[in-house]
Amino acid sequence: MNGKEAEEYLEALGAILQSESEEPLDIMVCGGMALILQGLIDRRTRDIDGMALVVMEDGDYVLKKPLLKKPVKEAIQRVA
């Protein structure tokens, strides 16, 4: 998967979650895909690694261990 394909998958995931009235979700992407999406490298990878959920606490962005709810897990499976 290249960066364009990854963006399409992430947009599809967002569309599914929005249509099912899930609250907004920010995920920290790491690994090769993070470098690809930033244009730092030009290669393919097999997956998108999500390291943590990004949440706002006391005016600061904080990374939280991902505890994904069932609807989010199901939406990821549908996109996959």
Side-chain angles (χ1 to χ4, degrees):
M1 156 180 26
N2 61 29
K4 182 178 182 200
E5 292 166 325
E7 288 177 1
E8 289 172 4
Y9 295 140
L10 292 170
E11 286 175 12
L13 177 62
I16 290 170
L17 294 172
Q18 185 176 15
S19 72
E20 295 178 357
S21 300
E22 288 297 314
E23 57 189 69
L25 177 69
D26 292 315
I27 299 173
M28 178 184 172
V29 174
C30 61
M33 186 50 68
L35 299 173
I36 293 167
L37 290 171
Q38 294 179 69
L40 298 174
I41 61 173
D42 182 25
R43 67 174 176 89
R44 298 180 68 81
T45 187
R46 295 182 64 165
D47 59 10
I48 301 172
D49 299 313
M51 181 176 176
L53 297 178
V54 181
V55 297
M56 180 73 80
E57 285 186 0
D58 299 323
D60 293 319
Y61 289 106
V62 179
L63 302 178
K64 293 287 186 176
K65 180 179 176 183
L67 301 172
L68 299 178
K69 299 176 191 174
K70 185 177 178 180
V72 177
K73 289 180 184 180
E74 290 173 351
I76 291 170
Q77 288 299 317
R78 288 171 53 193
V79 171

